[in-house]
């Protein structure tokens, strides 16, 4: 049984990971300021410490999954300085903690380090096309500097693993999270117009959260040196945003129509992971198709919306 710290463990990916860690008998502490996560996401068997990762924290620990950071563009752009701080100060704090206690640290990086890529699919060797001076730069550059921190601490002997996570979806996502899957499924379930930004020809590759969590666990356990390169974790089933909208309508049997809105600045036109490294090194690849994963996520949102409505009627 390992002592495992999960920063951001009350969020969408974090809480799915915590469930899996508890199921395998580990002792789990969640460090989360609940800015985008929820107390109700944290299972009772885990200990929740409600605190900002930017403030010092110390306790003996064997592994750190450092996931803390708002991930939805709508949320991380609300407080860009906090987004930058979380990636620089928060990641430094966690790496210092790992160094003090000889712990391994897995950092949740992102496909956003590739910016608006002019190579597709994106391998880890691609250095990216990132705007350092725009609305997304707090997140993109924040994650890039955090990767540089991981590199520097690994040189000092800290065992570090970096996951570059592509668009992920599934149960425990917040319905008002603002990202494409939550927006489209909630809109389709409510019969509201599907809000496509731009003409919907931009692409994303959607990975179901159970597949991602399996990849994170495999990466943390992977043998190798401290200085192993980052690894893409995502599902290479590339779709246009319009196709995602049409699939959401079909899976919900919804009367929703499509409405078009301006494309946000610096919205990447394409995104698709090259997962050769994860396949070779970790023996990992996703197995859940968008059709199956989105159906399960639809059922989750349906239930969540129904219980919210029921709670509203009671008041
Ligand atoms: N998007 C959209 N309508 C929405 C939400 C998102 O068309 O209601 C588009 C967005 O412009 C982007 C893609 O869907 O091209 C994925 O957006 P998301 O916010 O999920 O994450 P991103 O991959 O941009 O970080």
């Amino acid at each position: 049984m390992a002592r495992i710290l999960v920063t951001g463990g009350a969020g969408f990916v974090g809480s799915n990971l915590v469930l899996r860690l508890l199921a395998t008998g580990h002792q789990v502490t969640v460090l989360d300021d609940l800015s985008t996560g929820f107390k109700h996401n944290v299972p009772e068997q885990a200990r929740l410490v409600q605190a900002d990762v930017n403030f010092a924290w110390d306790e003996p620990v064997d592994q750190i999954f450092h996931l803390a950071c708002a991930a939805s563009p709508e949320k991380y752009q609300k407080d860009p300085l906090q987004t930058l701080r979380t990636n620089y100060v928060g990641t430094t704090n966690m790496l210092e903690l790992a160094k003090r206690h000889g712990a391994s640290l897995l950092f949740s990086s992102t496909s956003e380090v590739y910016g608006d890529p002019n190579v597709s699919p994106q391998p880890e060797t691609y250095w990216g096309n990132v705007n350092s001076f725009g609305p997304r730069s707090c997140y993109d550059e924040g994650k890039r500097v955090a990767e540089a921190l991981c590199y520097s601490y690994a040189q000092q002997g800290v065992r570090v693993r970096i996951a570059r996570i592509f668009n992920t979806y599934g149960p425990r996502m917040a319905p008002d999270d603002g990202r494409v899957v939550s927006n489209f499924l909630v809109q389709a379930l409510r019969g509201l117009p599907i809000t496509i930004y731009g003409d919907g020809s931009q692409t994303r590759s959607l990975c179901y959260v159970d597949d991602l969590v399996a990849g994170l666990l495999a990466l943390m356990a992977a043998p190798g040196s401290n200085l192993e390169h980052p690894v893409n974790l995502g599902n290479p089933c590339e779709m246009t945003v319009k196709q995602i909208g049409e699939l959401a309508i079909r899976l919900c049997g919804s009367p929703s129509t499509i409405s078009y809105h301006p494309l946000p600045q610096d919205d990447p036109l394409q995104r698709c992971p090259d997962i050769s490294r994860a396949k070779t090194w970790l023996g990992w690849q996703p197995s859940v198709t968008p059709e199956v994963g989105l159906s399960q996520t639809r059922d989750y949102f349906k239930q969540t919306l129904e219980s919210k409505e029921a709670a509203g009627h009671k008041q």
Side-chain angles (χ1 to χ4, degrees):
M1 183 172 81
R3 297 161 299 179
I4 303 183
L5 180 66
V6 181
T7 75
F12 158 53
V13 171
S15 61
N16 278 285
L17 173 66
V18 168
L19 280 172
R20 192 76 74 87
L21 290 169
L22 289 169
T24 39
H26 295 297
Q27 182 187 313
V28 181
T29 298
V30 167
L31 186 64
D32 198 304
D33 66 358
L34 303 182
S35 55
T36 55
F38 300 95
K39 212 172 192 166
H40 63 74
N41 271 350
V42 181
E44 266 175 26
Q45 308 94 299
R47 178 171 60 126
L48 171 64
V49 177
Q50 190 179 339
D52 188 333
V53 75
N54 296 324
F55 295 102
W57 163 260
D58 195 15
E59 196 172 276
V61 60
D62 304 307
Q63 293 181 3
I64 303 167
F65 287 88
H66 178 36
L67 272 54
C69 187
S72 165
E74 191 182 299
K75 308 282 181 207
Y76 71 64
Q77 288 174 25
K78 270 201 180 125
D79 191 349
L81 291 176
Q82 176 68 0
T83 302
L84 283 161
R85 241 186 328 263
T86 300
N87 281 299
Y88 184 70
V89 180
T91 303
T92 304
N93 282 346
M94 288 305 117
L95 286 161
E96 284 290 335
L97 181 67
K99 193 173 163 182
R100 268 196 305 278
H101 297 289
S104 300
L105 181 141
L106 183 146
F107 173 62
S108 64
S109 187
T110 169
S111 54
E112 286 288 311
V113 299
Y114 304 124
D116 189 8
N118 34 37
V119 167
S120 197
Q122 295 88 53
E124 293 87 346
T125 46
Y126 176 54
W127 287 359
N129 177 35
V130 177
N131 181 4
S132 63
F133 195 71
R136 294 178 88 100
S137 58
C138 56
Y139 188 76
D140 301 8
E141 297 292 5
K143 291 286 184 181
R144 285 169 74 97
V145 82
E147 284 199 8
L149 283 166
C150 289
Y151 182 88
S152 304
Y153 275 84
Q155 281 184 311
Q156 292 184 16
V158 179
R159 185 176 178 276
V160 166
R161 295 287 179 261
I162 298 175
R164 290 190 179 151
I165 301 175
F166 284 65
N167 294 71
T168 304
Y169 69 97
R172 308 174 87 81
M173 255 185 141
D176 62 352
D177 171 81
R179 279 181 282 190
V180 64
V181 169
S182 43
N183 276 7
F184 286 3
L185 284 176
V186 169
Q187 288 161 350
L189 286 169
R190 289 183 165 151
L192 298 171
I194 304 293
T195 55
I196 288 188
Y197 305 156
D199 63 4
S201 63
Q202 71 272 35
T203 68
R204 292 297 185 270
S205 304
L206 303 178
C207 185
Y208 190 62
V209 68
D210 287 357
D211 279 335
L212 175 73
V213 167
L216 295 174
L217 295 172
L219 181 57
M220 179 61 105
S225 73
N226 297 333
L227 263 178
E228 292 296 337
H229 288 279
V231 182
N232 287 339
L233 292 180
N235 189 331
C237 62
E238 189 175 11
M239 295 168 82
T240 66
V241 163
K242 188 163 180 211
Q243 285 170 331
I244 300 171
E246 288 165 349
L247 184 55
I249 291 174
R250 180 161 65 76
L251 293 177
C252 296
S254 169
S256 289
T257 52
I258 285 180
S259 67
Y260 291 92
H261 303 265
L263 188 68
Q265 190 191 326
D266 295 339
D267 198 284
L269 288 183
Q270 56 181 356
R271 205 184 274 152
C272 180
D274 176 334
I275 58 166
S276 316
R277 186 175 283 170
K279 277 186 183 166
T280 316
W281 185 26
L282 311 177
W284 174 87
Q285 63 180 349
S287 63
V288 180
T289 61
E291 183 106 10
V292 169
L294 286 170
S295 301
Q296 284 173 19
T297 313
R298 168 204 62 201
D299 295 345
Y300 170 78
F301 281 133
K302 205 167 169 200
Q303 216 178 11
T304 308
L305 296 177
E306 279 167 6
S307 38
K308 272 195 173 173
E309 247 169 53
H313 286 316
K314 268 189 211 150
Q315 283 167 5

